[in-house]
Amino acid sequence: MTERIRLGVNIDHVATIRNARGGAHPDIARAAEIATKAGADGITFHLREDRRHIMDPDLEAIRAATHLPLNMEMAATDEMHVIAMNYKPETAMFVPEKREERTTEGGLNAAREHNRLAPMIRALKENGSRVSLFIEPDPVQLIAAQRMGADITEFHTGRFVELCLAGESELAEVELQRIADCAKRAVEVGIEPQAGHGLTYDTVKPIAAIPELTELNIGHFLIGEAIFAGLDPAIRRMRELMDEARA
Ligand code: PXP
């Protein structure tokens, strides 16, 4: 279990703080630059329909600020599809999106959304992006993702984190096993398994220790820690914990 696991740093909430006042501070491009120097393996951002954090001009600013692969999270809408086709992110990740939610609450219902997603996935892949689907650690969703040609599935770790924080260690163990089983199954069916959502210093290690996972996407906690420690040290600490989990 020694292979390194990649860290995708989600910088959405740098833009959340910026947008609280308008203007340009804190600068999203600077966040991408710092994350790059601190050892991130990719930069992730979610262009939401309501533009509550990342906004359209940020896309080019992020691209110019880093050489790292970009992971653009987006809803499966015609508008986002056109933007992603023009932007050509290294990875286009479909996530469910509801206006009233504070964050991405659950995984995609890939099984139910086949007809809408499959043509978009095909077009994005032909256009040079890899395509990821954000799903619950559920074998039904995994197989649905495989049928529609996804390259990657990111398994939602939110429930695992919530159970850990609530002290529900037995239930957390069950959820961890579900994620581990799905990661293994993903490799068997030819999909690259990744994971993310809600991860913190205290919860990242068991997830990072799942040997099949290739990448974790982490945002809110890192940006929160950056207020106290700085973005560079926060990312480096997360990196260290992920490496320890694989040691
Ligand atoms: N993965 C996906 C698909 C997400 O939507 C998010 C949140 O934007 C994350 C990972 C990162 O979650 P968090 O910000 O809680 O670390």
Side-chain angles (χ1 to χ4, degrees):
M1 207 210 282
T2 52
E3 206 170 305
R4 190 173 179 278
I5 182 167
R6 295 193 303 269
L7 170 60
V9 173
N10 181 316
I11 56 174
D12 289 349
H13 296 302
V14 175
T16 304
I17 298 170
R18 177 196 63 193
N19 296 353
R21 281 290 171 93
H25 182 80
D27 178 14
I28 198 83
R30 192 166 160 210
E33 273 169 32
I34 291 171
T36 305
K37 288 196 184 119
D41 299 287
I43 302 294
T44 296
F45 52 88
H46 184 175
L47 185 67
R48 280 184 168 266
E49 185 194 7
D50 62 10
R51 310 301 199 265
R52 70 174 73 159
H53 36 59
I54 297 296
M55 301 169 85
D56 299 62
D58 294 331
L59 269 56
E60 285 315 321
I62 295 168
R63 171 79 80 202
T66 182
H67 62 274
L68 292 177
L70 304 180
N71 179 11
M72 176 177 159
E73 294 181 22
M74 59 194 230
T77 63
D78 292 341
E79 183 201 16
M80 288 302 151
H81 186 237
V82 170
I83 292 173
M85 290 294 285
N86 288 325
Y87 188 58
K88 299 180 194 280
E90 280 71 12
T91 304
M93 183 195 291
F94 285 108
V95 302
E97 196 175 301
K98 286 190 247 139
R99 257 178 193 269
E100 65 276 17
E101 71 191 354
R102 273 187 289 180
T103 181
T104 316
E105 281 169 358
L108 272 177
N109 192 335
R112 205 174 52 199
E113 308 251 5
H114 181 99
N115 292 347
R116 196 151 58 99
L117 282 170
M120 289 188 186
I121 293 174
R122 202 175 317 121
L124 285 161
K125 286 175 67 163
E126 283 170 11
N127 198 42
S129 294
R130 298 182 80 213
V131 176
S132 176
L133 301 190
F134 185 52
I135 59 173
E136 296 294 327
D138 172 351
V140 172
Q141 297 299 337
L142 173 63
I143 297 307
Q146 183 219 18
R147 291 216 177 101
M148 61 181 99
D151 301 290
I152 301 164
T153 50
E154 181 175 310
F155 296 114
H156 200 314
T157 52
R159 184 172 155 73
F160 168 73
V161 172
E162 275 171 25
L163 290 167
C164 289
L165 298 180
E168 297 277 3
S169 50
E170 279 175 32
L171 290 175
E173 197 52 47
V174 172
E175 187 65 11
L176 182 64
Q177 195 54 50
R178 269 186 358 125
I179 298 168
D181 290 345
C182 277
K184 202 165 176 201
R185 185 88 186 101
V187 173
E188 286 164 6
V189 301
I191 289 195
E192 182 178 330
Q194 302 183 354
H197 208 281
L199 292 168
T200 64
Y201 292 155
D202 290 337
T203 53
V204 74
K205 279 176 115 174
I207 297 290
I210 296 171
E212 290 82 5
L213 291 176
T214 61
E215 179 168 321
L216 302 182
N217 278 303
I218 307 180
H220 182 264
F221 180 82
L222 285 175
I223 305 307
E225 274 303 292
I227 292 170
F228 305 112
L231 185 55
D232 179 290
I235 293 170
R236 287 182 196 272
R237 178 70 188 135
M238 191 62 84
R239 178 72 264 163
E240 238 170 51
L241 293 167
M242 289 165 63
D243 290 340
E244 283 172 19
R246 288 281 169 118

